[in-house]
Amino acid sequence: MKPDKRRKTIVGNWKMHTTAAEARHLAGGVVDGVGNSDPVTVILCPPFPYLALVGEILKGSRVALGAQNMYPEKEGAFTGEVSPTMLLDLGCRYVILGHSERRHKLGESDAFINQKVRFALACGLDIILCVGETLEQRKANQTEALLDRQLNLGLADVPGAALPHISIAYEPVWAIGTGKTATPEQAEETHQFIRHQLVKMFSMAAAERVRIQYGGSVKPENAAALLAQHDVDGALIGGASLNAGQFLAIVRAGISEPQTKRKSA
Ligand code: PEP
């Protein structure tokens, strides 16, 4: 049985897109379309320069604000970086950490991501930790070993008490921005593996409550089948989050999809 607290979560990661005017329009469209009683957590993560203006638009709505990254210090001589205290000051409740673009294009290591994870949690942000394998790793049957490493290193020294503030985004690198999506079965199988690792690292009760989102070319056309899987607790959306209509269609898919029963343990 799925615990009540594992609410589906749909996150829009705008990456390095939009102008100020586009950000205003997009956030307004999401707020207007999302309704007030939807049983899904909706989060928008605009680029840093637009956090304040998007935050103003989200105020009083049921859409939460998140950031795409942060630096693990409160303040100091870190030119170009943004601290968790600044994010909280702007009304952010969430931060995405360990996104594959930061791992692969900006060279972030598991150790650095772990520093960010621990610091963000200590400062009071909820984190979305991204993990996922490349195509080469999948073909070489290294997916589970890779995920095991990313989870163990990314969540090293994180106390079990912090788990309610952590969600995991499983994002196969080969599916991000490529139009290729994991099948619902592949996503479910991998999410079950991730949950099993969390059971080993923490406890069954704690792991059962962690939301595991899928990310990688989620669109209105494939969202319902993915979100219907027992262990798929939401989605992290890049491309489709730049269109309010598409993003809202995915949110609606999250509301209406009855969850399937887990096939095997
Ligand atoms: C992402 O930004 O994390 C992502 C999954 O992008 P896309 O939906 O475009 O594949």
Side-chain angles (χ1 to χ4, degrees):
M1 181 77 175
K2 196 176 169 89
D4 293 346
K5 285 200 176 129
R6 234 164 73 201
R7 250 168 94 85
K8 287 218 189 74
T9 303
I10 309 292
V11 185
N13 173 16
W14 295 0
K15 309 194 187 191
M16 200 171 71
H17 290 292
T18 73
T19 60
E22 287 164 353
R24 198 172 284 119
H25 183 73
L26 186 50
V30 172
V31 166
D32 289 348
V34 84
N36 280 324
S37 54
D38 301 338
V40 169
T41 300
V42 182
I43 304 166
L44 294 183
C45 302
F48 286 141
Y50 307 137
L51 279 172
L53 79 84
V54 170
E56 282 304 312
I57 294 166
L58 303 189
K59 251 184 210 158
S61 81
R62 52 173 307 284
V63 182
L65 188 65
Q68 299 174 21
N69 183 36
M70 48 145 263
Y71 191 80
E73 289 287 345
K74 280 197 171 152
E75 61 182 357
F78 302 101
T79 302
E81 295 295 339
V82 174
S83 75
T85 35
M86 292 169 182
L87 298 182
L88 287 162
D89 196 26
L90 289 172
C92 286
R93 175 156 173 218
Y94 301 89
V95 63
I96 298 172
L97 297 175
H99 192 281
S100 72
E101 286 150 15
R102 298 206 63 85
R103 291 178 189 266
H104 296 287
K105 296 184 182 171
L106 294 151
E108 288 194 5
S109 66
D110 285 303
F112 187 43
I113 293 163
N114 174 250
Q115 243 182 296
K116 295 186 189 199
V117 164
R118 286 185 289 122
F119 202 73
L121 291 167
C123 289
L125 284 163
D126 282 16
I127 65 140
I128 300 163
L129 174 64
C130 302
V131 295
E133 80 287 0
T134 62
L135 189 57
E136 293 66 38
Q137 287 163 333
R138 178 160 278 264
K139 282 185 179 158
N141 280 326
Q142 291 168 352
T143 300
E144 293 193 350
L146 184 275
L147 293 173
D148 182 41
R149 194 170 72 234
Q150 288 182 335
L151 289 168
N152 273 288
L153 298 178
L155 296 176
D157 298 322
V158 170
L163 275 194
H165 301 285
I166 296 174
S167 47
I168 305 295
Y170 168 56
E171 299 209 300
V173 179
W174 48 270
I176 297 177
T178 59
K180 293 186 188 136
T181 318
T183 63
E185 294 72 27
Q186 277 173 327
E188 173 62 13
E189 189 188 10
T190 313
H191 284 217
Q192 280 191 24
F193 173 79
I194 290 172
R195 200 173 304 285
H196 185 63
Q197 298 311 101
L198 295 173
V199 170
K200 288 202 280 186
M201 292 166 66
F202 298 97
S203 69
M204 173 73 91
E208 278 297 328
R209 291 189 178 274
V210 175
R211 280 163 301 170
I212 306 176
Q213 301 156 30
Y214 170 78
S217 298
V218 178
K219 307 276 177 233
E221 306 81 61
N222 57 28
L226 286 160
L227 292 168
Q229 300 304 309
H230 182 275
D231 285 273
V232 177
D233 305 313
L236 177 51
I237 325 282
S241 73
L242 296 171
N243 177 300
Q246 288 194 19
F247 184 69
L248 289 166
I250 297 169
V251 171
R252 279 192 290 275
I255 295 164
S256 54
E257 255 339 284
Q259 208 90 21
T260 55
K261 287 216 172 74
R262 186 182 279 177
K263 288 198 185 85
S264 57

